[in-house]
Amino acid sequence: MTNAYLAAEGFEAQLEAELKDARLLHGRLYISESAQPSAWAANIWHDCLELPVESVGKAAQALRDIQRNWAMYAPLHHRAQR
């Protein structure tokens, strides 16, 4: 089971030290194969699934297939506010 931990802003080092087998995925997001309690995570997601897709249409279909049971974390791949 994959678990994702989003570090509270400014507490990335503390979260990394707290999690035993976590690897940094991107920015403040850490991935662990074991569920662990955390005092330094702003949010924790259990039983995560990564969905690599080939197109926007396939991504939209994959998200429709799982309905409301998803959350996006996109620190780089999103439209910038102008």
Side-chain angles (χ1 to χ4, degrees):
M1 177 188 338
T2 301
N3 300 282
Y5 299 83
L6 184 62
E9 288 189 44
F11 295 97
E12 294 87 351
Q14 290 88 340
L15 179 64
E16 188 171 8
E18 181 179 54
L19 299 175
K20 295 172 181 62
D21 64 345
R23 62 182 169 85
L24 178 62
L25 183 63
H26 195 283
R28 300 175 9 227
L29 186 65
Y30 291 82
I31 301 296
S32 173
E33 294 306 317
S34 61
Q36 303 170 49
S38 174
W40 302 106
N43 207 337
I44 301 172
W45 297 283
H46 300 287
D47 199 18
C48 296
L49 175 66
E50 184 177 3
L51 295 172
V53 292
E54 300 168 8
S55 69
V56 172
K58 288 183 180 181
Q61 183 59 51
L63 294 176
R64 278 193 300 270
D65 289 346
I66 59 176
Q67 299 179 2
R68 288 182 263 167
N69 298 326
W70 63 276
M72 181 178 74
Y73 175 69
L76 292 178
H77 305 291
H78 63 281
R79 291 186 175 140
Q81 297 290 330
R82 292 181 187 205

